[in-house]
Amino acid sequence: MSRKERANPFSINSLLKFACIFLGILLVIYFVKTQLDMIEMQEQLVEMQQQVELQRLRNKDAELSLREDDETMERAAREKLDYAHPDERIFVDISGTN
């Protein structure tokens, strides 16, 4: 080796090695952070899917209760108030027998 190469502690090879090591460390840190973010987002996805399923069940229950309420109201209107649909014919038995 010549005297110039020994005197310069920051040769091209040492700078390239340092840059490669630094980039490698940055890539590992980025990879680990990305994996942690993915795990967190998967947990959020599972939680949101559970919330969606719970809301679907609530909606179904509400729909059933509304349907039952409509049927109950219609039955009450027919029996107690003698209402009918506009295009419906009502026949009344006036013979007096049940």
Side-chain angles (χ1 to χ4, degrees), residues 83-97:
Y83 282 5
H85 289 285
D87 58 344
E88 184 178 27
R89 288 186 182 182
I90 303 291
F91 294 98
V92 179
D93 183 13
I94 59 171
S95 66
T97 60

Side-chain angles (χ1 to χ4, degrees), residues 10-66:
F10 297 108
S11 66
I12 299 272
N13 285 338
S14 64
L15 286 176
L16 282 176
K17 287 179 187 177
F18 176 75
C20 287
I21 291 171
F22 183 72
L23 286 175
I25 291 171
L26 285 178
L27 287 174
V28 168
I29 290 172
Y30 179 75
F31 178 76
V32 169
K33 183 183 179 316
T34 303
Q35 292 298 317
L36 292 174
D37 289 344
M38 283 177 48
I39 291 170
E40 181 181 343
M41 288 180 185
Q42 286 174 343
E43 290 171 354
Q44 288 177 355
L45 177 63
V46 167
E47 183 179 326
M48 287 182 180
Q49 286 172 337
Q50 290 172 348
Q51 290 175 355
V52 165
E53 188 60 31
L54 180 63
Q55 190 61 44
R56 277 191 191 132
L57 291 174
R58 287 179 182 162
N59 289 349
K60 189 173 183 178
D61 287 343
E63 182 181 325
L64 289 174
S65 69
L66 286 175

